[in-house]
């Protein structure tokens, strides 16, 4: 099966920027709530885990249930497996935890040099992005 992505690096970065602001807002609001309810709550290591879980939840639910985050929807592309089925939560976790390597450049450099144009996090999660433009 062909897992070649037809989504440009510019589109990916556009969606990442869009989703960054959404996730930042979500984390900020929940963080503010924690600070108001539990004054020193942000010093608790569980606070970091809660924020990580919320961030993962946003991406995983978006990818598994609807194939798109809001950023991906705005930039008109979706995520799937090679058989065109929706991705799994396991694939979401692999993709989510490898994505920081792409964000610092390593994964996107990898994308420029492999024949299927897949960044590191898509390559190892066996996922790819497909344009939804008509």
């Amino acid at each position: 099966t062909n897992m070649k992505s037809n989504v440009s690096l510019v589109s990916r970065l556009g969606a990442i920027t869009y989703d960054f602001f959404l996730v930042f807002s979500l984390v900020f609001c929940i963080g503010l709530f924690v600070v108001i309810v539990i004054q020193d709550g942000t010093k608790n290591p569980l606070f970091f885990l809660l924020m990580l879980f919320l961030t993962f939840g946003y991406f995983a639910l978006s990818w598994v249930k609807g194939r798109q985050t809001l950023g991906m929807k705005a930039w008109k592309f979706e995520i799937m497996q090679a058989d065109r089925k929706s991705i799994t939560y396991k694939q979401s976790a692999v993709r989510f935890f490898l994505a920081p390597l792409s964000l610092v450049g390593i994964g996107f450099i990898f994308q420029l040099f492999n024949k299927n144009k897949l960044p590191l996090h898509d390559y190892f999660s066996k996922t790819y992005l497909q344009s939804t433009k008509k």
Side-chain angles (χ1 to χ4, degrees):
T1 359
N2 186 7
M3 275 187 44
K4 187 171 184 170
S5 177
N6 64 356
V7 176
S8 73
L9 183 55
V10 171
S11 293
R12 285 174 179 269
L13 294 174
I16 288 166
T17 302
Y18 192 106
D19 287 324
F20 169 79
F21 286 110
L22 288 168
V23 169
F24 178 83
S25 300
L26 173 72
V27 167
F28 183 83
C29 289
I30 300 295
L32 186 62
F33 177 77
V34 169
V35 167
I36 290 168
V37 174
I38 311 162
Q39 273 66 39
D40 284 340
T42 56
K43 293 178 183 152
N44 188 325
L46 291 177
F47 178 77
F48 171 77
L49 289 175
L50 172 66
M51 296 302 132
L52 188 65
F53 180 77
L54 281 170
T55 304
F56 174 70
Y58 167 75
F59 286 103
L61 286 169
S62 298
W63 293 334
V64 173
K65 297 295 181 196
R67 293 187 176 196
Q68 296 174 304
T69 61
L70 290 171
M72 293 164 79
K73 192 177 208 98
W75 283 82
K76 297 183 175 22
F77 63 88
E78 63 186 3
I79 188 169
M80 63 186 72
Q81 298 184 57
D83 60 7
R84 304 193 62 77
K85 290 184 180 170
S86 293
I87 74 170
T88 64
Y89 285 106
K90 182 180 177 186
Q91 286 173 302
S92 293
V94 170
R95 194 169 196 276
F96 180 80
F97 288 105
L98 286 178
L101 290 175
S102 291
L103 289 174
V104 297
I106 297 165
F108 290 126
I109 291 168
F110 183 83
Q111 176 183 0
L112 298 173
F113 295 102
N114 80 65
K115 64 180 174 132
N116 292 335
K117 296 183 181 177
L118 295 175
L120 210 61
H121 58 280
D122 281 333
Y123 183 85
F124 284 105
S125 64
K126 294 180 175 57
T127 62
Y128 76 107
L129 302 179
Q130 194 66 37
S131 174
T132 58
K133 293 175 185 165
K134 301 282 186 253

